[in-house]
Amino acid sequence: WQGALEAAVTVVHWDQRGSGNTYYRDPAAPPPTVERLLSDLDELVDALRARYGRDRLFLLGHSWGSLLGGLYALRRPEKLSAWLPVSQMVDFKRSEQVSAAEAIRRARGAGREEEAERLAQELEQVLALRRLDRAGAEALLRFRRRKERYLPPQYGGPSPLGGLAAPELTGNDLRWKLRFDRMLAANAALYEELLGGLSLDGCPPRYGVPVILTAGERDWTTPYPLAAAYYDTLSAPCKAFLSLPNAGHLPFRERPEEWSHILLDALAQI
């Protein structure tokens, strides 16, 4: 999906602590917390600034990465040329509430009152979660599958199986994706923070760098209305909100050329 971006900029992907290749480099490393990940990200930014001889970098984060990256951009604006959130997550549990309300509305509109009640009950169970063990994760996944029956497609674009041919894919990537219990255990402290109320709403949204937010208009995973409302509250030297009308939670995969071009055009205006 990043071909058009790579024609204009160098793209660096980060496997954060507790995931993918990074996990298997040192499984005994201290587990991820928000503060550790922010420190790790700062080290990565400094390493890339030194490697490429740049004072500032563009930082892009998707979904959970848009919450973590937003916290970083608020703290360290002097190291960034712009902050580029995609499918902005503001608050994990509020995302589930807003998307569930839309699914319930649609279920009732289709005459599926029992399903609407079931969704409301499962939402209460999800909102009561304080940690994400296997039982909690399975409850969350069941709830999301039921909810997404009534929402527009969230994860369009090419089949993820196409990624199996990616030259960057390693055996450790596959091992991490298949070891569900290990993934939960490695990230337990981080999930507790997310479930405990971690939110961008707790930080004054005064960014010291340009902000260009892109979002699919039918995204109900990190709901478009929440992203739009957050954008309206934030201040920045300059800002732009770029919508893709027929995209869900993965606009860069569903409409890669369009997404890349509108993002690059916006960056050219900075």
PDB file of all heavy atoms in Angstrom, residues 169-195:
ATOM      1  N   LEU A 169       8.565 -10.117   5.538  1.00  0.00           N
ATOM      2  CA  LEU A 169       7.955 -11.071   6.458  1.00  0.00           C
ATOM      3  C   LEU A 169       8.984 -12.089   6.938  1.00  0.00           C
ATOM      4  O   LEU A 169       9.753 -12.639   6.152  1.00  0.00           O
ATOM      5  CB  LEU A 169       6.796 -11.797   5.776  1.00  0.00           C
ATOM      6  CG  LEU A 169       5.953 -12.699   6.678  1.00  0.00           C
ATOM      7  CD1 LEU A 169       5.112 -11.865   7.625  1.00  0.00           C
ATOM      8  CD2 LEU A 169       5.061 -13.600   5.827  1.00  0.00           C
ATOM      9  N   THR A 170       8.978 -12.322   8.239  1.00  0.00           N
ATOM     10  CA  THR A 170       9.904 -13.314   8.810  1.00  0.00           C
ATOM     11  C   THR A 170       9.113 -14.385   9.547  1.00  0.00           C
ATOM     12  O   THR A 170       7.926 -14.219   9.843  1.00  0.00           O
ATOM     13  CB  THR A 170      10.875 -12.643   9.805  1.00  0.00           C
ATOM     14  OG1 THR A 170      10.132 -12.239  10.968  1.00  0.00           O
ATOM     15  CG2 THR A 170      11.571 -11.444   9.192  1.00  0.00           C
ATOM     16  N   GLY A 171       9.801 -15.467   9.860  1.00  0.00           N
ATOM     17  CA  GLY A 171       9.171 -16.518  10.649  1.00  0.00           C
ATOM     18  C   GLY A 171       8.698 -16.014  11.997  1.00  0.00           C
ATOM     19  O   GLY A 171       7.677 -16.471  12.521  1.00  0.00           O
ATOM     20  N   ASN A 172       9.430 -15.057  12.562  1.00  0.00           N
ATOM     21  CA  ASN A 172       9.029 -14.512  13.860  1.00  0.00           C
ATOM     22  C   ASN A 172       7.719 -13.735  13.778  1.00  0.00           C
ATOM     23  O   ASN A 172       6.930 -13.721  14.720  1.00  0.00           O
ATOM     24  CB  ASN A 172      10.131 -13.615  14.415  1.00  0.00           C
ATOM     25  CG  ASN A 172      11.280 -14.418  14.993  1.00  0.00           C
ATOM     26  OD1 ASN A 172      11.116 -15.586  15.339  1.00  0.00           O
ATOM     27  ND2 ASN A 172      12.440 -13.807  15.091  1.00  0.00           N
ATOM     28  N   ASP A 173       7.486 -13.071  12.642  1.00  0.00           N
ATOM     29  CA  ASP A 173       6.198 -12.402  12.448  1.00  0.00           C
ATOM     30  C   ASP A 173       5.060 -13.410  12.564  1.00  0.00           C
ATOM     31  O   ASP A 173       4.052 -13.174  13.233  1.00  0.00           O
ATOM     32  CB  ASP A 173       6.133 -11.738  11.069  1.00  0.00           C
ATOM     33  CG  ASP A 173       6.897 -10.433  11.015  1.00  0.00           C
ATOM     34  OD1 ASP A 173       6.748  -9.624  11.939  1.00  0.00           O
ATOM     35  OD2 ASP A 173       7.629 -10.223  10.040  1.00  0.00           O
ATOM     36  N   LEU A 174       5.219 -14.531  11.867  1.00  0.00           N
ATOM     37  CA  LEU A 174       4.163 -15.547  11.870  1.00  0.00           C
ATOM     38  C   LEU A 174       4.019 -16.181  13.241  1.00  0.00           C
ATOM     39  O   LEU A 174       2.905 -16.426  13.707  1.00  0.00           O
ATOM     40  CB  LEU A 174       4.481 -16.614  10.817  1.00  0.00           C
ATOM     41  CG  LEU A 174       4.476 -16.119   9.366  1.00  0.00           C
ATOM     42  CD1 LEU A 174       4.941 -17.233   8.432  1.00  0.00           C
ATOM     43  CD2 LEU A 174       3.090 -15.633   8.959  1.00  0.00           C
ATOM     44  N   ARG A 175       5.138 -16.465  13.903  1.00  0.00           N
ATOM     45  CA  ARG A 175       5.072 -17.056  15.240  1.00  0.00           C
ATOM     46  C   ARG A 175       4.305 -16.151  16.193  1.00  0.00           C
ATOM     47  O   ARG A 175       3.479 -16.611  16.989  1.00  0.00           O
ATOM     48  CB  ARG A 175       6.483 -17.263  15.794  1.00  0.00           C
ATOM     49  CG  ARG A 175       7.268 -18.382  15.140  1.00  0.00           C
ATOM     50  CD  ARG A 175       8.713 -18.352  15.586  1.00  0.00           C
ATOM     51  NE  ARG A 175       8.873 -18.623  17.000  1.00  0.00           N
ATOM     52  CZ  ARG A 175       9.990 -18.329  17.682  1.00  0.00           C
ATOM     53  NH1 ARG A 175      11.006 -17.731  17.092  1.00  0.00           N
ATOM     54  NH2 ARG A 175      10.068 -18.623  18.965  1.00  0.00           N
ATOM     55  N   TRP A 176       4.569 -14.842  16.127  1.00  0.00           N
ATOM     56  CA  TRP A 176       3.921 -13.914  17.041  1.00  0.00           C
ATOM     57  C   TRP A 176       2.419 -13.872  16.782  1.00  0.00           C
ATOM     58  O   TRP A 176       1.617 -13.854  17.715  1.00  0.00           O
ATOM     59  CB  TRP A 176       4.530 -12.527  16.868  1.00  0.00           C
ATOM     60  CG  TRP A 176       3.945 -11.517  17.806  1.00  0.00           C
ATOM     61  CD1 TRP A 176       4.182 -11.395  19.152  1.00  0.00           C
ATOM     62  CD2 TRP A 176       3.004 -10.497  17.482  1.00  0.00           C
ATOM     63  NE1 TRP A 176       3.458 -10.356  19.672  1.00  0.00           N
ATOM     64  CE2 TRP A 176       2.727  -9.786  18.668  1.00  0.00           C
ATOM     65  CE3 TRP A 176       2.389 -10.104  16.310  1.00  0.00           C
ATOM     66  CZ2 TRP A 176       1.852  -8.713  18.699  1.00  0.00           C
ATOM     67  CZ3 TRP A 176       1.514  -9.030  16.345  1.00  0.00           C
ATOM     68  CH2 TRP A 176       1.253  -8.352  17.525  1.00  0.00           C
ATOM     69  N   LYS A 177       2.009 -13.864  15.509  1.00  0.00           N
ATOM     70  CA  LYS A 177       0.587 -13.794  15.190  1.00  0.00           C
ATOM     71  C   LYS A 177      -0.149 -15.065  15.623  1.00  0.00           C
ATOM     72  O   LYS A 177      -1.336 -15.022  15.959  1.00  0.00           O
ATOM     73  CB  LYS A 177       0.392 -13.557  13.692  1.00  0.00           C
ATOM     74  CG  LYS A 177       0.828 -12.179  13.233  1.00  0.00           C
ATOM     75  CD  LYS A 177       0.631 -12.015  11.755  1.00  0.00           C
ATOM     76  CE  LYS A 177       1.175 -10.679  11.252  1.00  0.00           C
ATOM     77  NZ  LYS A 177       0.522  -9.529  11.879  1.00  0.00           N
ATOM     78  N   LEU A 178       0.541 -16.197  15.611  1.00  0.00           N
ATOM     79  CA  LEU A 178      -0.101 -17.465  15.926  1.00  0.00           C
ATOM     80  C   LEU A 178      -0.099 -17.772  17.421  1.00  0.00           C
ATOM     81  O   LEU A 178      -0.860 -18.617  17.875  1.00  0.00           O
ATOM     82  CB  LEU A 178       0.580 -18.605  15.156  1.00  0.00           C
ATOM     83  CG  LEU A 178       0.418 -18.533  13.624  1.00  0.00           C
ATOM     84  CD1 LEU A 178       1.297 -19.596  12.965  1.00  0.00           C
ATOM     85  CD2 LEU A 178      -1.032 -18.705  13.214  1.00  0.00           C
ATOM     86  N   ARG A 179       0.756 -17.115  18.180  1.00  0.00           N
ATOM     87  CA  ARG A 179       0.851 -17.393  19.619  1.00  0.00           C
ATOM     88  C   ARG A 179      -0.002 -16.381  20.382  1.00  0.00           C
ATOM     89  O   ARG A 179       0.499 -15.438  20.984  1.00  0.00           O
ATOM     90  CB  ARG A 179       2.319 -17.333  20.063  1.00  0.00           C
ATOM     91  CG  ARG A 179       3.208 -18.380  19.412  1.00  0.00           C
ATOM     92  CD  ARG A 179       2.857 -19.803  19.818  1.00  0.00           C
ATOM     93  NE  ARG A 179       3.059 -20.033  21.237  1.00  0.00           N
ATOM     94  CZ  ARG A 179       4.213 -20.423  21.764  1.00  0.00           C
ATOM     95  NH1 ARG A 179       5.268 -20.618  20.990  1.00  0.00           N
ATOM     96  NH2 ARG A 179       4.326 -20.625  23.060  1.00  0.00           N
ATOM     97  N   PHE A 180      -1.317 -16.594  20.329  1.00  0.00           N
ATOM     98  CA  PHE A 180      -2.272 -15.628  20.877  1.00  0.00           C
ATOM     99  C   PHE A 180      -2.060 -15.412  22.376  1.00  0.00           C
ATOM    100  O   PHE A 180      -2.032 -14.276  22.864  1.00  0.00           O
ATOM    101  CB  PHE A 180      -3.686 -16.124  20.592  1.00  0.00           C
ATOM    102  CG  PHE A 180      -4.774 -15.154  20.942  1.00  0.00           C
ATOM    103  CD1 PHE A 180      -4.828 -13.909  20.350  1.00  0.00           C
ATOM    104  CD2 PHE A 180      -5.756 -15.497  21.862  1.00  0.00           C
ATOM    105  CE1 PHE A 180      -5.840 -13.009  20.661  1.00  0.00           C
ATOM    106  CE2 PHE A 180      -6.772 -14.604  22.179  1.00  0.00           C
ATOM    107  CZ  PHE A 180      -6.814 -13.357  21.578  1.00  0.00           C
ATOM    108  N   ASP A 181      -1.896 -16.495  23.136  1.00  0.00           N
ATOM    109  CA  ASP A 181      -1.725 -16.370  24.582  1.00  0.00           C
ATOM    110  C   ASP A 181      -0.446 -15.611  24.919  1.00  0.00           C
ATOM    111  O   ASP A 181      -0.429 -14.796  25.854  1.00  0.00           O
ATOM    112  CB  ASP A 181      -1.700 -17.750  25.241  1.00  0.00           C
ATOM    113  CG  ASP A 181      -3.076 -18.405  25.242  1.00  0.00           C
ATOM    114  OD1 ASP A 181      -4.069 -17.678  25.380  1.00  0.00           O
ATOM    115  OD2 ASP A 181      -3.150 -19.634  25.078  1.00  0.00           O
ATOM    116  N   ARG A 182       0.607 -15.868  24.165  1.00  0.00           N
ATOM    117  CA  ARG A 182       1.870 -15.168  24.422  1.00  0.00           C
ATOM    118  C   ARG A 182       1.724 -13.679  24.129  1.00  0.00           C
ATOM    119  O   ARG A 182       2.254 -12.838  24.852  1.00  0.00           O
ATOM    120  CB  ARG A 182       2.987 -15.790  23.584  1.00  0.00           C
ATOM    121  CG  ARG A 182       4.349 -15.157  23.816  1.00  0.00           C
ATOM    122  CD  ARG A 182       5.458 -15.988  23.209  1.00  0.00           C
ATOM    123  NE  ARG A 182       5.625 -17.232  23.941  1.00  0.00           N
ATOM    124  CZ  ARG A 182       6.550 -18.146  23.639  1.00  0.00           C
ATOM    125  NH1 ARG A 182       7.361 -17.954  22.617  1.00  0.00           N
ATOM    126  NH2 ARG A 182       6.648 -19.257  24.346  1.00  0.00           N
ATOM    127  N   MET A 183       1.015 -13.355  23.061  1.00  0.00           N
ATOM    128  CA  MET A 183       0.784 -11.950  22.732  1.00  0.00           C
ATOM    129  C   MET A 183       0.034 -11.256  23.864  1.00  0.00           C
ATOM    130  O   MET A 183       0.383 -10.138  24.269  1.00  0.00           O
ATOM    131  CB  MET A 183      -0.009 -11.839  21.437  1.00  0.00           C
ATOM    132  CG  MET A 183      -0.331 -10.414  21.029  1.00  0.00           C
ATOM    133  SD  MET A 183      -1.421 -10.323  19.599  1.00  0.00           S
ATOM    134  CE  MET A 183      -2.969 -10.862  20.325  1.00  0.00           C
ATOM    135  N   LEU A 184      -1.009 -11.900  24.391  1.00  0.00           N
ATOM    136  CA  LEU A 184      -1.778 -11.314  25.484  1.00  0.00           C
ATOM    137  C   LEU A 184      -0.909 -11.117  26.717  1.00  0.00           C
ATOM    138  O   LEU A 184      -0.963 -10.063  27.369  1.00  0.00           O
ATOM    139  CB  LEU A 184      -2.977 -12.200  25.820  1.00  0.00           C
ATOM    140  CG  LEU A 184      -4.083 -12.294  24.773  1.00  0.00           C
ATOM    141  CD1 LEU A 184      -5.132 -13.311  25.219  1.00  0.00           C
ATOM    142  CD2 LEU A 184      -4.735 -10.936  24.535  1.00  0.00           C
ATOM    143  N   ALA A 185      -0.111 -12.131  27.045  1.00  0.00           N
ATOM    144  CA  ALA A 185       0.731 -12.036  28.239  1.00  0.00           C
ATOM    145  C   ALA A 185       1.780 -10.944  28.087  1.00  0.00           C
ATOM    146  O   ALA A 185       2.040 -10.177  29.028  1.00  0.00           O
ATOM    147  CB  ALA A 185       1.396 -13.392  28.506  1.00  0.00           C
ATOM    148  N   ALA A 186       2.394 -10.860  26.916  1.00  0.00           N
ATOM    149  CA  ALA A 186       3.455  -9.884  26.701  1.00  0.00           C
ATOM    150  C   ALA A 186       2.941  -8.452  26.795  1.00  0.00           C
ATOM    151  O   ALA A 186       3.673  -7.539  27.176  1.00  0.00           O
ATOM    152  CB  ALA A 186       4.102 -10.116  25.334  1.00  0.00           C
ATOM    153  N   ASN A 187       1.674  -8.251  26.454  1.00  0.00           N
ATOM    154  CA  ASN A 187       1.121  -6.892  26.411  1.00  0.00           C
ATOM    155  C   ASN A 187       0.105  -6.620  27.519  1.00  0.00           C
ATOM    156  O   ASN A 187      -0.636  -5.643  27.451  1.00  0.00           O
ATOM    157  CB  ASN A 187       0.476  -6.651  25.046  1.00  0.00           C
ATOM    158  CG  ASN A 187       1.500  -6.549  23.941  1.00  0.00           C
ATOM    159  OD1 ASN A 187       2.103  -5.503  23.727  1.00  0.00           O
ATOM    160  ND2 ASN A 187       1.722  -7.653  23.234  1.00  0.00           N
ATOM    161  N   ALA A 188       0.095  -7.481  28.549  1.00  0.00           N
ATOM    162  CA  ALA A 188      -0.939  -7.391  29.587  1.00  0.00           C
ATOM    163  C   ALA A 188      -0.971  -6.019  30.258  1.00  0.00           C
ATOM    164  O   ALA A 188      -2.050  -5.435  30.470  1.00  0.00           O
ATOM    165  CB  ALA A 188      -0.724  -8.489  30.628  1.00  0.00           C
ATOM    166  N   ALA A 189       0.194  -5.485  30.618  1.00  0.00           N
ATOM    167  CA  ALA A 189       0.225  -4.195  31.316  1.00  0.00           C
ATOM    168  C   ALA A 189      -0.296  -3.069  30.416  1.00  0.00           C
ATOM    169  O   ALA A 189      -1.010  -2.169  30.879  1.00  0.00           O
ATOM    170  CB  ALA A 189       1.647  -3.882  31.773  1.00  0.00           C
ATOM    171  N   LEU A 190       0.047  -3.136  29.133  1.00  0.00           N
ATOM    172  CA  LEU A 190      -0.425  -2.127  28.195  1.00  0.00           C
ATOM    173  C   LEU A 190      -1.940  -2.190  28.034  1.00  0.00           C
ATOM    174  O   LEU A 190      -2.633  -1.158  28.026  1.00  0.00           O
ATOM    175  CB  LEU A 190       0.261  -2.332  26.842  1.00  0.00           C
ATOM    176  CG  LEU A 190      -0.109  -1.349  25.732  1.00  0.00           C
ATOM    177  CD1 LEU A 190       0.267   0.077  26.129  1.00  0.00           C
ATOM    178  CD2 LEU A 190       0.583  -1.745  24.426  1.00  0.00           C
ATOM    179  N   TYR A 191      -2.482  -3.420  27.924  1.00  0.00           N
ATOM    180  CA  TYR A 191      -3.931  -3.560  27.793  1.00  0.00           C
ATOM    181  C   TYR A 191      -4.651  -3.031  29.027  1.00  0.00           C
ATOM    182  O   TYR A 191      -5.734  -2.446  28.926  1.00  0.00           O
ATOM    183  CB  TYR A 191      -4.309  -5.031  27.559  1.00  0.00           C
ATOM    184  CG  TYR A 191      -3.815  -5.592  26.255  1.00  0.00           C
ATOM    185  CD1 TYR A 191      -3.446  -6.935  26.146  1.00  0.00           C
ATOM    186  CD2 TYR A 191      -3.710  -4.811  25.113  1.00  0.00           C
ATOM    187  CE1 TYR A 191      -3.000  -7.462  24.950  1.00  0.00           C
ATOM    188  CE2 TYR A 191      -3.261  -5.334  23.912  1.00  0.00           C
ATOM    189  CZ  TYR A 191      -2.901  -6.660  23.834  1.00  0.00           C
ATOM    190  OH  TYR A 191      -2.460  -7.176  22.650  1.00  0.00           O
ATOM    191  N   GLU A 192      -4.060  -3.227  30.203  1.00  0.00           N
ATOM    192  CA  GLU A 192      -4.681  -2.702  31.422  1.00  0.00           C
ATOM    193  C   GLU A 192      -4.773  -1.180  31.370  1.00  0.00           C
ATOM    194  O   GLU A 192      -5.760  -0.588  31.828  1.00  0.00           O
ATOM    195  CB  GLU A 192      -3.904  -3.153  32.653  1.00  0.00           C
ATOM    196  CG  GLU A 192      -4.137  -4.614  33.016  1.00  0.00           C
ATOM    197  CD  GLU A 192      -3.532  -4.996  34.355  1.00  0.00           C
ATOM    198  OE1 GLU A 192      -3.298  -4.070  35.173  1.00  0.00           O
ATOM    199  OE2 GLU A 192      -3.290  -6.190  34.578  1.00  0.00           O
ATOM    200  N   GLU A 193      -3.748  -0.539  30.820  1.00  0.00           N
ATOM    201  CA  GLU A 193      -3.793   0.921  30.698  1.00  0.00           C
ATOM    202  C   GLU A 193      -4.887   1.357  29.729  1.00  0.00           C
ATOM    203  O   GLU A 193      -5.617   2.326  29.984  1.00  0.00           O
ATOM    204  CB  GLU A 193      -2.438   1.455  30.249  1.00  0.00           C
ATOM    205  CG  GLU A 193      -1.356   1.334  31.311  1.00  0.00           C
ATOM    206  CD  GLU A 193      -0.050   1.956  30.867  1.00  0.00           C
ATOM    207  OE1 GLU A 193       0.111   3.178  31.039  1.00  0.00           O
ATOM    208  OE2 GLU A 193       0.807   1.218  30.338  1.00  0.00           O
ATOM    209  N   LEU A 194      -4.983   0.647  28.610  1.00  0.00           N
ATOM    210  CA  LEU A 194      -6.028   0.978  27.631  1.00  0.00           C
ATOM    211  C   LEU A 194      -7.416   0.799  28.231  1.00  0.00           C
ATOM    212  O   LEU A 194      -8.295   1.656  28.065  1.00  0.00           O
ATOM    213  CB  LEU A 194      -5.889   0.085  26.400  1.00  0.00           C
ATOM    214  CG  LEU A 194      -5.027   0.582  25.243  1.00  0.00           C
ATOM    215  CD1 LEU A 194      -4.942  -0.492  24.157  1.00  0.00           C
ATOM    216  CD2 LEU A 194      -5.580   1.874  24.664  1.00  0.00           C
ATOM    217  N   LEU A 195      -7.628  -0.317  28.935  1.00  0.00           N
ATOM    218  CA  LEU A 195      -8.931  -0.597  29.528  1.00  0.00           C
ATOM    219  C   LEU A 195      -9.203   0.273  30.748  1.00  0.00           C
ATOM    220  O   LEU A 195     -10.350   0.434  31.154  1.00  0.00           O
ATOM    221  CB  LEU A 195      -9.020  -2.076  29.912  1.00  0.00           C
ATOM    222  CG  LEU A 195      -8.978  -3.069  28.740  1.00  0.00           C
ATOM    223  CD1 LEU A 195      -8.821  -4.498  29.255  1.00  0.00           C
ATOM    224  CD2 LEU A 195     -10.226  -2.950  27.874  1.00  0.00           C
TER     225      LEU A 195
END
